[in-house]
Amino acid sequence: MIITYVGMCAGLLLGFAAAGPLGAALGVLVGLAIGMALSGVTEAKARIPAGAVLAREEQRLLCIPKGQVATATFVRDAHTNRWLDVERCSLCEPQDQVACQKRCLLLIRDALPAQKHAAHA
């Protein structure tokens, strides 16, 4: 989230310096888009913390790159309820070696927020 705000502020300053108030407004929008893209990339590549109590949950969802419904086992931290990784996927061969970009992890984070969907270890 911080990366998004930094992108917006940088866009605001650069846009205002280059083209005044209209440039600042456009700079905020461009900075927002760049910040959100960078934030998504860094969250997707975050490692599982050492010593975390993990909870596993199986979900069915659409795999956008393959265009098929997949059954995936997601792992999350049982204390913070933050989705951490994809452990298994029915579309991968073998199922326990998920070597794709894990776009479903970003989808599941948006669809099932941790505060509204509690996990038990």
Side-chain angles (χ1 to χ4, degrees):
M1 191 70 170
I2 300 272
I3 296 173
T4 305
Y5 291 133
V6 169
M8 289 173 62
C9 290
L12 174 80
L13 295 174
L14 291 174
F16 187 76
L22 181 60
L26 293 174
V28 167
L29 294 176
V30 171
L32 174 70
I34 292 171
M36 288 178 67
L38 289 175
S39 177
V41 169
T42 56
E43 283 185 11
K45 300 298 181 187
R47 300 281 179 217
I48 297 175
V53 178
L54 302 178
R56 288 165 176 79
E57 187 171 327
E58 192 171 282
Q59 296 286 334
R60 291 180 51 86
L61 67 150
L62 177 66
C63 177
I64 294 175
K66 293 188 178 183
Q68 298 176 2
V69 176
T71 302
T73 303
F74 293 94
V75 177
R76 66 169 138 186
D77 188 341
H79 295 294
T80 63
N81 286 334
R82 187 178 187 300
W83 296 102
L84 299 173
D85 198 9
V86 181
E87 187 176 64
R88 298 176 61 86
C89 179
S90 63
L91 298 179
C92 294
E93 194 58 44
Q95 290 187 0
D96 61 345
Q97 293 181 1
V98 182
C100 63
Q101 295 177 350
K102 300 181 183 179
R103 291 182 185 170
C104 59
L105 184 60
L106 296 175
L107 291 175
I108 202 77
R109 284 178 179 164
D110 291 339
L112 295 175
Q115 297 82 8
K116 296 181 183 176
H117 194 74
H120 301 289

